């Protein structure tokens, strides 16, 4: 890493200047900049303003073409002419935003999301079953150690992915506690790729990712689908979205009377509920792609190395678009298509989340929101929760968190 990312004063200035640029663009009416400023719990109004400006909106200051149109979003996310990095193997705005997660590892010429394309851990259908089983076991253990009231974020969803992944990756028991701590330090990695974080969060993330990669390197091989770098990419891309998806699902179930009770009566519906939430409140709301050649989108020319942002949540609200069908008839959200958010990470998030939700429904049917949910700031990609207080009431209807 260059001095601008290793010297605290230089890093702080760079982060501040970049974020000020977002504020400047947003103040002058750029809805995409307002999304990336990430100071609201609900960015829907800004997303809809992007949609109103046409199928492809050009954010001049942020040098990005932005898409909210459902059909066009699906086209870009499945188009081989778009990739995660530039033709030279760099990130978009790499001179402005510090590396995050897997990007702290050694530079390589051909990477996908911070890890070489052939090195990503392949999460097969059999692996999905294993992840789901581990998630159920860990969920029961975590719930068993909690009292009547707890924070669903700090006490459950933030710990669950790390413990599941540690078991899935076969890490020794003596190192799993540290793995969990370091992965928590990387929690803002996905958001930091598009939005500058505070200096403290950025420095914590850089240090945690570097130590996490070293930890994994001591216990995993250097190459293949279970390499340290591939495992780091998988862990970083799973942890925050899985937590967001579980919390989003719990909130969605509270928005309509009887939905939580219905799931508790039939916990096997967890997969369908998770799929519906992924469609309505995706755990990854902004996908980033870079044109590998000159491309025309809805009559708008995109140059080679041009950056395209897909507003997944907005695209999935498009009434002209329906979920793509699968073999079992369940609709596949845009964030699970092709390379969108990487297939292995998406499969793992889904398996982990449905296992956790099933156990919550089985073991804690009386679980209810007990306070106001608080969303993170500067989290435009995940729009994750900072807190979500819950309590086991013993009886009574599920109430919306805001009404508690």
């Amino acid at each position: 890493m260059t001095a601008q990312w290793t010297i605290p004063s230089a890093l702080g200035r760079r982060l501040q200047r970049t974020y000020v640029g977002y504020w400047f663009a947003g103040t002058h009416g750029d809805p995409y900049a307002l999304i990336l400023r990430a100071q609201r719990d609900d960015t829907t109004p800004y997303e809809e303003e992007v949609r109103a400006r046409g199928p492809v909106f050009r954010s001049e200051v942020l040098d990005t073409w932005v898409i909210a149109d459902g059909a066009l979003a699906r086209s870009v996310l499945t188009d081989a002419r778009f990739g995660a990095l530039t033709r030279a193997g760099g990130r978009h705005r790499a001179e402005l935003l510090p590396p995050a997660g897997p990007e702290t590892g050694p530079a390589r010429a051909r990477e996908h999301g911070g890890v070489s394309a052939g090195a990503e851990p392949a999460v097969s259908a059999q692996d999905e079953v294993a992840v789901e089983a581990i998630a159920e076991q860990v969920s029961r253990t975590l719930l068993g150690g909690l009292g009547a009231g707890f924070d669903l974020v700090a006490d459950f969803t933030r710990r669950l992915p790390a413990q599941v992944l540690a078991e899935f990756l076969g890490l020794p028991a003596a190192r799993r506690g540290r793995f969990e701590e370091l992965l928590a330090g990387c929690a803002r990695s996905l958001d930091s790729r598009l939005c500058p974080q505070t200096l403290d969060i950025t420095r914590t993330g850089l240090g945690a990712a570097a130590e996490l990669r070293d930890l994994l390197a001591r216990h995993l091989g250097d190459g293949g689908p279970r390499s340290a770098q591939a495992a780091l990419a998988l862990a970083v891309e799973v942890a925050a979205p899985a937590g967001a998806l579980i919390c989003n699902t719990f909130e969605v179930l509270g928005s309509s009377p009887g939905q939580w009770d219905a799931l508790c009566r039939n916990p096997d519906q967890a997969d369908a509920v998770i799929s519906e939430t992924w469609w309505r409140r995706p755990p990854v709301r902004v996908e980033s792609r870079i044109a590998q050649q000159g491309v025309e989108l809805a009559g708008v020319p995109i140059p080679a190395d041009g950056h395209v942002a897909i507003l997944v949540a907005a695209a999935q609200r498009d009434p002209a678009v329906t979920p793509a069908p699968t073999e079992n008839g369940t609709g596949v959200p845009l964030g699970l298509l092709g390379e969108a958010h990487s297939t292995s990470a998406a499969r793992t998030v889904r398996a982990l989340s449905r296992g956790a939700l099933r156990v919550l429904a089985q073991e804690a049917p009386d679980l209810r929101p007990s306070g106001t949910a608080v969303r993170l700031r500067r989290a435009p990609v995940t729009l994750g929760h900072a807190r979500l207080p819950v309590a086991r009431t013993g009886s009574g209807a599920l109430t919306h968190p805001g009404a508690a």
Side-chain angles (χ1 to χ4, degrees), residues 248-267 269-270 272-274 276-277 280-281 357 361 365 367-368 397-400:
N248 287 347
T249 302
F250 192 77
E251 285 195 306
V252 167
L253 291 173
S255 65
S256 298
Q259 283 192 336
W260 174 253
D261 292 334
L263 176 64
C264 292
R265 289 192 296 271
N266 187 6
Q269 289 297 309
V273 173
I274 287 293
E276 177 66 15
T277 304
R280 293 172 59 187
R281 297 190 187 183
L357 185 64
L367 194 66
R368 304 290 185 262
L398 184 68
T399 59
H400 190 275

Side-chain angles (χ1 to χ4, degrees), residues 23-321:
W23 276 90
F24 174 84
T27 300
H28 286 76
D30 185 329
Y32 179 60
L34 290 169
I35 291 171
L36 295 192
R37 275 179 14 179
Q39 292 298 310
R40 290 185 54 150
D41 288 352
D42 182 10
T43 56
T44 299
Y46 304 143
E47 294 166 352
E48 291 306 313
E49 186 174 345
V50 170
R51 190 195 311 280
R53 298 198 184 191
V56 181
F57 165 66
R58 171 67 167 152
S59 175
E60 296 285 349
V61 175
L62 275 62
D63 191 23
T64 297
W65 288 262
V66 191
I67 295 172
D69 179 85
L72 195 57
R74 186 183 299 279
S75 173
V76 171
L77 290 172
T78 56
D79 191 334
R81 294 176 298 175
F82 291 91
L85 302 177
T86 66
R87 292 170 297 171
R91 296 178 300 120
H92 173 64
R93 296 169 73 85
E95 74 283 3
L96 300 177
L97 295 170
E103 296 159 2
T104 62
R108 284 172 301 280
R110 293 181 298 277
E111 293 186 335
H112 175 77
V115 63
S116 56
E120 183 192 351
V123 179
S124 64
Q126 184 176 357
D127 288 329
E128 277 193 73
V129 173
V131 168
E132 187 170 352
I134 296 170
E136 291 184 358
Q137 178 184 357
V138 173
S139 295
R140 288 191 175 90
T141 300
L142 287 174
L143 281 175
L146 297 173
F150 58 93
D151 182 349
L152 191 64
V153 178
D155 299 322
F156 188 79
T157 63
R158 192 174 293 159
R159 303 191 64 193
L160 177 69
Q163 295 188 18
V164 171
L165 289 166
E167 176 69 23
F168 177 69
L169 294 171
L171 297 182
R175 304 305 298 156
R176 294 186 181 187
R178 187 56 180 162
F179 175 79
E180 182 178 332
E181 293 173 358
L182 293 172
L183 191 54
C186 298
R188 305 298 284 273
S189 289
L190 294 184
D191 291 302
S192 68
R193 292 174 185 174
L194 290 178
C195 176
Q197 304 297 305
T198 65
L199 178 60
D200 286 345
I201 290 175
T202 301
R203 294 186 68 194
T204 296
L206 290 172
E211 185 179 342
L212 184 57
R213 187 178 187 279
D214 290 341
L215 184 154
L216 291 169
R218 289 195 293 271
H219 303 290
L220 300 174
D222 293 332
R226 288 293 186 269
S227 70
Q229 189 72 5
L232 176 58
L234 182 69
V236 168
E237 293 180 358
V238 163
L245 184 57
I246 295 168
C247 288
N248 287 347
T249 302
F250 192 77
E251 285 195 306
V252 167
L253 291 173
S255 65
S256 298
Q259 283 192 336
W260 174 253
D261 292 334
L263 176 64
C264 292
R265 289 192 296 271
N266 187 6
D268 288 338
Q269 289 297 309
D271 187 33
V273 173
I274 287 293
S275 297
E276 177 66 15
T277 304
W278 200 313
W279 186 260
R280 293 172 59 187
R281 297 190 187 183
V284 175
R285 298 178 66 89
V286 185
E287 289 283 359
S288 180
R289 293 292 182 271
I290 297 178
Q292 303 301 297
Q293 63 187 69
V295 180
E296 188 173 286
L297 297 176
V300 177
I302 311 295
D305 290 333
H307 181 244
V308 177
I310 301 94
L311 305 183
V312 175
Q316 292 181 167
R317 288 195 304 269
D318 191 332
V321 175

